[in-house]
Amino acid sequence: MTTQYGNQPAGHHPHGASQRTATGNVLSIIAMVLGVISLLFLPIVFGVIGLVLGIVAKTVRHERLAVPAIVVSAVGLIGGMVLGALLAGS
């Protein structure tokens, strides 16, 4: 199927515009998973790695899910440390 504006297939983005798919958010998704894991296991390791991946996804790759990934990783990092301190103190 072609469009009325030429012989371009329908759904094609003209002028070299890239088409973002779910694979474009790989670093953000990994950062979110690490943020959730850091709530229960080694928050300093997994939370920091998640934050770094989220920041790289935001600044270098401009992924759409980068900001939520940074938030989830930060909450996992802080929440994991607080939870660890509460459990170690009891």
Side-chain angles (χ1 to χ4, degrees):
M1 177 175 189
T2 60
T3 63
Q4 63 182 350
Y5 299 108
N7 201 14
Q8 299 291 334
H12 183 274
H13 297 284
H15 306 293
S18 65
Q19 186 177 17
R20 291 274 181 178
T21 61
T23 58
N25 291 314
V26 172
L27 288 181
S28 299
I29 293 170
I30 293 171
M32 282 190 219
V33 169
L34 289 174
V36 171
I37 291 172
S38 70
L39 276 170
L40 299 175
F41 304 108
L42 300 172
I44 293 176
V45 174
F46 290 120
V48 170
I49 294 172
L51 273 175
V52 169
L53 286 178
I55 291 169
V56 168
K58 176 72 175 163
T59 57
V60 176
R61 297 190 49 172
H62 305 290
E63 296 180 7
R64 291 183 352 171
L65 294 177
V67 174
I70 292 170
V71 170
V72 168
S73 295
V75 168
L77 174 64
I78 295 169
M81 289 192 298
V82 168
L83 186 62
L86 289 175
L87 290 176
S90 59

